[in-house]
Amino acid sequence: MRMYDIIKAKRDGFSLTEKEIDFIINGYLNGDIPDYQMSALLMAIYFKGMTSSETSMLTMAMARSGDTVDLSEIDGITVDKHSTGGVGDKTTLILVPIVAACGVNVAKMSGRGLGHTGGTVDKLESIPGFRTSLNRQEFIDTVKKCGACVVGQSGNLAPADKALYALRDVTATVDSIPLIAASIMSKKIAAGCDCILLDVKVGSGAFMTKIEDARKLAEKMIEIGKKAGKKTVAVITNMDEPLGYAIGNSLEVIEAVNTLKGTGPCDLTELCLRLAAEMLCLAQKGSYEECLKMAKDSLYSGRALDKLVEMVTLQGGDPTVILNTNNLKKARFFHTVTAERSGYITHIDTECCGKASVLLGAGRQTKDSVIDHTAGIVLSSKVGDIVNKGDIIATLYADDESLFPLAEDTLLSSVEIGSEKPEPMKIIMSETLR
Ligand code: URA
């Protein structure tokens, strides 16, 4: 078998066989296939696509490329959730304790920030002492003790995806539906849960900017999950403005804790309750209405907040920063950004907003950048709000004041103010896709 022939076949629109896909994944991981040939193949896939069966075979080859987690020691159904990535997306910090407090086990592996999007592991690491790197037994024991554990992906989980993702990132081949579907589902399948809930984001801050594409991506991932024997459902949700008001790691932990106290932003609270109810349904806790009621009880009774405190403590984190978020370390400097004209906020370019927070130090500009957990943005207004010229629309936080001018310009360029009231935004953009 020759990589040249495989590239040519895909370039000419043919489907690849299972043997060819295994050859590509094994060959790339062991160094036999060089980056330039893999890049050419990725670009051919980007333009010619993949059939459903090719996408499933690619997913399984990537899932098998490293360790697979065996969660069979945990009694009962285990549920996982994955967001396709966004700005201000702190749902995991809220959802996991809501669901665990309802008696469903959540054994979750999360990622770090990627480009303009944030990552749960970075957010959790803003809690002093919190360990996101546990060995398999510690991970399972934590779930057994409190029903919830969130860790970073183990070094050897779907290593083929890790290598391919890094290459896609620099060859303009990230936003391909089969490649995204295979990337996400390979990790979810290797992570070992029984059921998977997919939160597929759509809008200016998401990989999918059109609802039709988000639907296609969701359908592809559901099909792959089912073929792998996992109960999989998806909901398409809005990422055409940041979720909630806070963007940046410890700022998002504060907003997540406020949400668990019942005082969070409406969009974030509505999304978390919907996703929590979906996870409870997957775990066969009852009808959707019953599960939504359970999720609300868990949130508004304070049991979910207690669960977060328990999980943080078990994972080595300082629970006092959850009990009182004033104890979290703060950025040394802040800077307010004001509206340049009066009117309605008609649009927030969410990717651009995410980039502004990366410029402040909340995300990585290169693979090796060290992030500042205290940095980020707290918006004061969202789409549909009226502002007067000079009103504060956001506050920037950083440890270095010289970062403010560029971040401010970037943020201001992301916010459009107009005279017409925009249509109200919906947070949930689809029915449950099965
Ligand atoms: N998240 C992933 O894990 N992979 C992708 O390709 C895109 C988003």
Side-chain angles (χ1 to χ4, degrees):
M1 214 174 275
R2 290 192 322 154
M3 186 62 175
Y4 176 90
D5 299 323
I6 295 175
I7 298 169
K8 187 162 174 287
K10 185 42 78 184
R11 183 200 70 186
D12 295 340
F14 293 100
S15 297
L16 305 180
T17 64
E18 186 162 21
K19 279 211 175 86
E20 287 170 330
I21 289 174
D22 287 344
F23 170 83
I24 297 161
I25 294 302
N26 296 333
Y28 187 57
L29 261 190
N30 68 25
D32 290 346
I33 296 174
D35 280 351
Y36 54 82
Q37 282 192 312
M38 196 65 198
S39 306
L41 179 67
L42 290 172
M43 195 53 88
I45 294 174
Y46 184 91
F47 283 114
K48 296 292 175 174
M50 284 187 129
T51 63
S52 293
S53 83
E54 280 178 292
T55 313
S56 285
M57 290 183 301
L58 177 64
T59 309
M60 295 315 288
M62 297 205 300
R64 283 191 304 264
S65 67
D67 300 338
T68 46
V69 185
D70 177 3
L71 297 176
S72 57
E73 246 186 76
I74 299 170
D75 286 337
I77 298 173
T78 48
V79 210
D80 198 351
K81 106 72 223 212
H82 185 86
S83 149
T84 57
V87 177
D89 184 359
K90 66 283 288 173
T91 51
T92 294
L93 306 181
I94 303 157
L95 265 184
V96 169
I98 292 180
V99 172
C102 295
V104 171
N105 292 313
V106 193
K108 178 143 178 49
M109 291 194 179
S110 288
R112 294 190 181 276
L114 208 59
H116 68 279
T117 66
T120 302
V121 168
D122 295 330
K123 299 177 214 272
L124 284 168
E125 286 180 353
S126 64
I127 300 169
F130 193 96
R131 292 173 62 214
T132 55
S133 176
L134 302 183
N135 66 36
R136 180 187 162 276
Q137 202 54 49
E138 288 172 321
F139 179 50
I140 289 179
D141 288 346
T142 308
V143 180
K144 280 178 156 177
K145 275 190 200 134
C146 84
C149 187
V150 183
V151 292
Q153 268 148 33
S154 84
N156 202 32
L157 192 95
D161 172 59
K162 201 169 178 186
L164 278 181
Y165 196 94
L167 191 61
R168 287 165 59 209
D169 209 15
V170 292
T171 54
T173 51
V174 169
D175 48 345
S176 142
I177 291 177
L179 294 178
I180 296 178
S183 163
I184 291 176
M185 293 308 286
S186 62
K187 288 175 286 211
K188 293 289 108 181
I189 290 166
C193 276
D194 303 310
C195 313
I196 304 166
L197 167 65
L198 300 164
D199 176 6
V200 179
K201 303 285 187 196
V202 64
S204 59
F207 289 114
M208 297 293 114
T209 51
K210 291 197 257 128
I211 186 95
E212 312 83 72
D213 290 338
R215 199 171 269 272
K216 276 190 211 146
L217 175 62
E219 285 165 0
K220 268 255 181 295
M221 292 195 287
I222 292 170
E223 196 181 326
I224 297 169
K226 282 187 184 162
K227 272 195 193 156
K230 311 275 175 193
K231 222 163 133 187
T232 310
V233 301
V235 183
I236 300 175
T237 72
N238 190 2
M239 192 35 75
D240 213 27
E241 68 174 341
L243 187 56
Y245 290 88
I247 308 163
N249 301 295
S250 62
L251 298 169
E252 293 192 42
V253 169
I254 296 170
E255 192 166 72
V257 170
N258 290 341
T259 305
L260 286 168
K261 287 181 177 160
T263 58
C266 299
D267 58 347
L268 179 62
T269 306
E270 183 186 340
L271 177 63
C272 289
L273 287 171
R274 168 67 186 264
L275 296 179
E278 296 286 355
M279 287 171 85
L280 294 170
C281 280
L282 279 170
Q284 296 169 359
K285 285 295 213 182
S287 66
Y288 178 75
E289 285 67 32
E290 287 162 343
C291 289
L292 183 63
K293 182 175 179 312
M294 252 181 254
K296 285 184 179 168
D297 289 348
S298 167
L299 174 68
Y300 294 116
S301 64
R303 281 186 293 117
L305 181 62
D306 294 344
K307 186 56 79 181
L308 180 66
V309 171
E310 192 184 348
M311 186 188 93
V312 165
T313 311
L314 283 172
Q315 291 193 235
D318 177 0
T320 65
V321 301
I322 304 295
L323 294 166
N324 180 357
T325 51
N326 287 328
N327 292 335
L328 269 169
K329 190 169 169 248
K330 303 277 178 312
R332 283 171 61 215
F333 301 103
F334 71 91
H335 175 80
T336 53
V337 179
T338 54
E340 290 175 316
R341 55 171 288 196
S342 300
Y344 291 101
I345 299 198
T346 52
H347 180 64
I348 299 179
D349 179 325
T350 309
E351 177 175 354
C352 199
C353 221
K355 284 184 179 155
S357 85
V358 172
L359 289 171
L360 293 166
R364 293 173 189 80
Q365 305 211 42
T366 68
K367 227 169 58 196
D368 306 316
S369 307
V370 175
I371 58 171
D372 172 4
H373 288 104
T374 64
I377 301 170
V378 178
L379 300 172
S380 308
S381 304
K382 302 247 292 180
V383 173
D385 289 348
I386 295 188
V387 290
N388 290 313
K389 186 173 176 191
D391 281 356
I392 295 174
I393 53 170
T395 306
L396 312 183
Y397 295 88
D399 251 2
D400 176 353
E401 280 180 297
S402 71
L403 300 174
F404 288 139
L406 185 56
E408 176 172 22
D409 286 350
T410 308
L411 183 72
L412 279 172
S413 70
S414 77
V415 178
E416 278 170 27
I417 299 176
S419 44
E420 300 241 330
K421 188 171 168 55
E423 288 286 308
M425 286 240 188
K426 282 192 300 190
I427 183 71
I428 309 289
M429 308 285 287
S430 78
E431 71 284 12
T432 309
L433 306 172
R434 302 174 192 281

